[in-house]
Amino acid sequence: MFILLLNLPIMDIIGATAFLPQLVHSIVSKNRSISYPGCFLQALLVHIYGTGNLMFLTAMAYDRYIAICMPLRYNSIMTSNILMKIVVAIWLCTISLMVVLLGLFARFNICMNRIVDVYCNNPSLVKLVCEDSTINNYYGLFTIVLIQGGSLFIVVYTYIQILVTCVISKQPDAKGKALQTCGTHLIVFLFLELNTAIALISHRFESVSPYLRRALGVSVMYYNTTHFLTLQSLNLPMETAISTFLLATLSYMVILFCNLVLILTIVLNKTLHQPMYLLLINLPINDLLGSTAFFPHVIKELLLDTRRMNYAACVAQAFCVHTYGVGAVLILSVMAYDRYVAICRPLVYGSVMTNAHVMRLITAMWLLNLALVGVLFALLLRLPRCRSLMAHSYCDNPSLLGLVCADTSVNNAYGLLMLAVVQAISHAVILYTYLRILVACFRTRRQDTRSKAYADCLGLFTIISYRLRDVSPFLRRFIGASAIIFPPTLNPIIYGLRTKEIRGKALAFFRGKLF
């Protein structure tokens, strides 16, 4: 652990030495010039620093995963020989990737001499070239996807495994030790991942503010039109607006309370750490994401009677709303598969739906969700915007796409493809599993098996009915809002009140804490 940790300050020294002396010299002497070899060397060292930091933080996450999840095998896996191979491989991979990146640039003749940042990096250097830089752009995107995506996947997977191990561990000091060891590491990694990703990707969007780019773009992109959008008004009279405000506030409080109770009940009771409930806990988490993206803005609009919304906040709301929608379909599909295995193949359920397999399903489900929605909005953010009047009272991708004055055929094709794939797969999985469950219920001779199957599946079928329905064009606004309002309210009630185990644990919790 400490040998891996030793490489972080080495990387930090490389990055700081490449950046700070030149910055101090520029501030003191007010001289903004730098030699071409000096700029090239600074860019190489800065990129080695960023890439190496991510790789070593990823290796440290893997080390903590072996130490906490496989403690008996730690000394046989993380030997000094293996450790030195990992360290050498990271350094060689980092240096080779960045040498190729800057080597592709060195083949060009530059025709400009103004760097858009306060320090030299590859995107800024490529902008000095007046030749075709397609290969550089493709290789740059490849390194971003490989390093950022690969490191994020490994860290997310290892920390989910660590979290599961800590939850199911019976050792009293396991949770505290894991949190103390991994908490700060995870914070540093996520900060560096977000900062590096935005700093690199922002260079590929010409409309990003140069000032924000120099400050490493910790906020979202700004476009060359107004930063505020005008949403469609709810058109409610004063009396109705006040009652709607109270109803929306009450609904949001009920959603928060019910979903948090469901989450805490599952997390705090080890007897509920079973595949069905590990899948179920994703539903209230997803519902909280969608309702929190929707309700606070609606409540503010009803209270202040304003239709203005910052563009960055609008994009964030739309991203969360679409992540909630896609996530709900994926979660329900995986839950239907779990009930199919439990009812139709009960003898192999314990060997098929292990906790490790369930965590892999959950990880794949969330990564697929974020990837699909992330590409959707990456395609949106590349386009220039020339309008500011939204078609809905809340933000979503079709409304934001309506503000664009460029060709949106790629966006439309991808949106339809994503919708068709997600809906088709989820419909196919749900219909197939429920047909098999229905057949199994009729074939079984045990009355308790039928009752259990009906009880397990009725709640899931009820919730699916709220999401898998045709939308009338005349009721699009109401249906769009109801898809965010009703499911988060009904999910915890249906699963909490109708599931005997959860209902009993929740009541026991409140009796113990309150009475």
Side-chain angles (χ1 to χ4, degrees), residues 126-194:
V126 171
K127 291 184 187 323
L128 305 180
V129 174
C130 297
E131 303 175 41
D132 182 18
S133 59
T134 304
I135 297 178
N136 299 61
N137 293 331
Y138 279 134
Y139 182 79
L141 286 174
F142 167 74
T143 56
I144 291 174
V145 173
L146 177 66
I147 297 169
Q148 301 281 122
S151 60
L152 182 62
F153 175 79
I154 293 174
V155 170
V156 169
Y157 175 78
T158 55
Y159 274 90
I160 288 176
Q161 294 289 338
I162 290 172
L163 179 63
V164 172
T165 302
C166 294
V167 170
I168 65 177
S169 176
K170 296 182 180 180
Q171 297 183 6
D173 59 339
K175 297 180 183 179
K177 180 181 178 182
L179 181 62
Q180 181 181 4
T181 306
C182 306
T184 53
H185 171 259
L186 186 59
I187 293 173
V188 172
F189 174 82
L190 292 177
F191 177 79
L192 181 63
E193 180 87 14
L194 179 64

Side-chain angles (χ1 to χ4, degrees), residues 432-450:
Y432 174 78
T433 53
Y434 274 90
L435 285 175
R436 295 297 300 269
I437 290 172
L438 185 62
V439 172
C441 290
F442 279 111
R443 285 181 176 177
T444 185
R445 297 181 180 179
R446 296 182 56 183
Q447 186 63 32
D448 59 339
T449 303
R450 293 187 183 182

Side-chain angles (χ1 to χ4, degrees), residues 258-308:
C258 294
N259 283 281
L260 288 175
V261 167
L262 183 57
I263 293 172
L264 291 175
T265 301
I266 297 175
V267 169
L268 297 178
N269 291 276
K270 294 183 178 180
T271 57
L272 298 180
H273 296 166
Q274 303 172 22
M276 181 177 70
Y277 300 110
L278 292 178
L279 291 172
L280 173 60
I281 198 174
N282 290 272
L283 205 56
I285 293 174
N286 189 63
D287 289 340
L288 287 177
L289 174 66
S291 56
T292 302
F294 175 75
F295 272 100
H297 168 70
V298 172
I299 292 172
K300 185 194 76 170
E301 182 180 343
L302 291 170
L303 183 62
L304 302 178
D305 192 23
T306 175
R307 294 184 295 155
R308 286 167 57 85

Side-chain angles (χ1 to χ4, degrees), residues 229-442:
L229 305 178
T230 303
L231 304 177
Q232 285 290 338
S233 176
L234 297 175
N235 294 323
L236 298 176
M238 180 61 67
E239 298 79 7
T240 307
I242 294 175
S243 59
T244 306
F245 164 75
L246 296 175
L247 180 61
T249 304
L250 179 62
S251 300
Y252 186 49
M253 293 174 63
V254 170
I255 289 173
L256 289 178
F257 175 77
C258 294
N259 283 281
L260 288 175
V261 167
L262 183 57
I263 293 172
L264 291 175
T265 301
I266 297 175
V267 169
L268 297 178
N269 291 276
K270 294 183 178 180
T271 57
L272 298 180
H273 296 166
Q274 303 172 22
M276 181 177 70
Y277 300 110
L278 292 178
L279 291 172
L280 173 60
I281 198 174
N282 290 272
L283 205 56
I285 293 174
N286 189 63
D287 289 340
L288 287 177
L289 174 66
S291 56
T292 302
F294 175 75
F295 272 100
H297 168 70
V298 172
I299 292 172
K300 185 194 76 170
E301 182 180 343
L302 291 170
L303 183 62
L304 302 178
D305 192 23
T306 175
R307 294 184 295 155
R308 286 167 57 85
M309 189 176 189
N310 185 278
Y311 179 73
C314 188
V315 172
Q317 184 188 54
F319 182 86
C320 292
V321 167
H322 283 274
T323 302
Y324 156 76
V326 176
V329 174
L330 295 178
I331 293 168
L332 290 171
S333 301
V334 176
M335 290 175 66
Y337 169 73
D338 172 77
R339 291 301 84 202
Y340 158 72
V341 178
I343 296 170
C344 299
R345 305 176 62 189
L347 298 180
V348 299
Y349 181 77
S351 60
V352 174
M353 297 300 292
T354 62
N355 283 354
H357 182 58
V358 169
M359 295 310 300
R360 285 193 289 269
L361 287 175
I362 293 173
T363 304
M365 180 176 61
W366 280 104
L367 289 178
L368 177 62
N369 184 8
L370 294 175
L372 289 173
V373 180
V375 173
L376 182 70
F377 280 88
L379 291 174
L380 169 69
L381 293 174
R382 69 189 175 92
L383 299 174
R385 176 171 53 88
C386 61
R387 288 184 285 268
S388 61
L389 180 61
M390 297 286 290
H392 291 302
S393 55
Y394 67 95
C395 300
D396 56 7
N397 179 67
S399 300
L400 288 170
L401 207 57
L403 308 179
V404 173
C405 297
D407 181 19
T408 61
S409 55
V410 175
N411 300 64
N412 295 330
Y414 177 80
L416 288 174
L417 176 65
M418 186 184 76
L419 181 64
V421 170
V422 172
Q423 293 289 343
I425 293 177
S426 61
H427 279 70
V429 170
I430 292 171
L431 289 176
Y432 174 78
T433 53
Y434 274 90
L435 285 175
R436 295 297 300 269
I437 290 172
L438 185 62
V439 172
C441 290
F442 279 111

